[in-house]
């Protein structure tokens, strides 16, 4: 596994250690990390700080040309909100650690020309599965579902 997904997994573990959801993400441009983050909805009382959104926020304001040459690494398949942001900024490639616990908007991303690479990482599958089992209310809140 490459260093960027390892950073995303470390972010996910940090989110879990903080009492939040174990989802991490890293934005990379030409081999350089621009931003990294983790789901902080619980920690920050936020409605939008999913892992991908936190990584993009931490990257700061960037020109469109940078996004169009970047890769987003995420430990979980991107939801509708995060996928919309990927499409809005024209990020051409997303590397996904796992989609067994949640299949986000991969079909939408693919249909719009985004290259997807799925790793089926067992660490992420187990970490997210355990979290969902132990925290169904928090998980459902995060994806906009009712218990």
């Amino acid at each position: 596994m490459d260093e960027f997904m390892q950073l995303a997994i470390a972010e996910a573990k940090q989110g879990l250690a903080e009492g939040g959801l174990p989802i991490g993400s890293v934005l990379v441009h030409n081999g350089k990390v621009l931003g990294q983050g983790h789901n902080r909805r619980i920690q920050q009382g936020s409605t939008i700080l999913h892992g991908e959104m936190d990584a993009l926020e931490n990257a700061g304001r960037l020109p469109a040309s940078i996004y169009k040459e970047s890769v987003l690494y995420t430990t979980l398949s991107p939801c509708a909100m995060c996928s919309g942001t990927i499409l809005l900024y024209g990020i051409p490639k997303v590397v996904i650690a796992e989609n067994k616990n949640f299949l986000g908007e991969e079909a939408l991303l693919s249909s719009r020309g985004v290259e997807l690479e799925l790793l089926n990482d067992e660490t992420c599958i187990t970490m997210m599965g355990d979290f969902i089992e132990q925290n169904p209310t928090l998980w459902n809140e995060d994806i906009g579902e009712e218990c």
Side-chain angles (χ1 to χ4, degrees):
M1 177 177 316
D2 73 27
E3 64 183 297
F4 304 121
M5 186 54 76
Q6 289 175 359
L7 283 173
I9 292 170
E11 286 285 342
K13 289 178 178 178
Q14 182 178 343
L16 185 61
E18 293 171 355
L21 280 80
I23 304 167
S25 186
V26 177
L27 181 67
V28 177
H29 178 258
N30 292 333
K32 179 184 174 204
V33 174
L34 299 179
Q36 59 191 73
H38 54 275
N39 187 304
R40 294 188 306 142
R41 289 187 69 251
I42 294 166
Q43 300 92 310
Q44 298 293 320
S46 171
T47 58
I48 62 167
L49 279 181
H50 282 191
E52 300 91 336
M53 303 298 276
D54 192 43
L56 290 167
E57 182 69 15
N58 289 333
R61 186 174 165 198
L62 300 168
S65 60
I66 298 294
Y67 293 114
K68 293 181 186 321
E69 297 175 342
S70 294
V71 178
L72 186 68
Y73 290 77
T74 182
T75 60
L76 187 65
S77 184
C79 72
M81 175 178 65
C82 296
S83 294
T85 303
I86 291 163
L87 294 174
L88 177 69
Y89 290 110
I91 297 170
K93 182 175 180 178
V94 180
V95 180
I96 302 165
E98 73 107 340
N99 66 3
K100 301 255 186 262
N101 287 294
F102 177 75
L103 179 59
E105 299 295 329
E106 292 178 30
L108 172 63
L109 291 170
S110 291
S111 77
R112 298 281 297 274
V114 177
E115 178 186 349
L116 302 177
E117 182 179 338
L118 178 62
L119 303 179
N120 287 315
D121 179 78
E122 287 299 325
T123 298
C124 291
I125 293 168
T126 300
M127 183 169 46
M128 196 71 232
D130 289 349
F131 180 86
I132 292 169
E133 184 179 316
Q134 295 164 12
N135 302 279
T137 302
L138 292 177
W139 168 245
N140 286 319
E141 175 189 325
D142 198 68
I143 59 169
E145 299 286 330
E146 293 183 33
C147 281

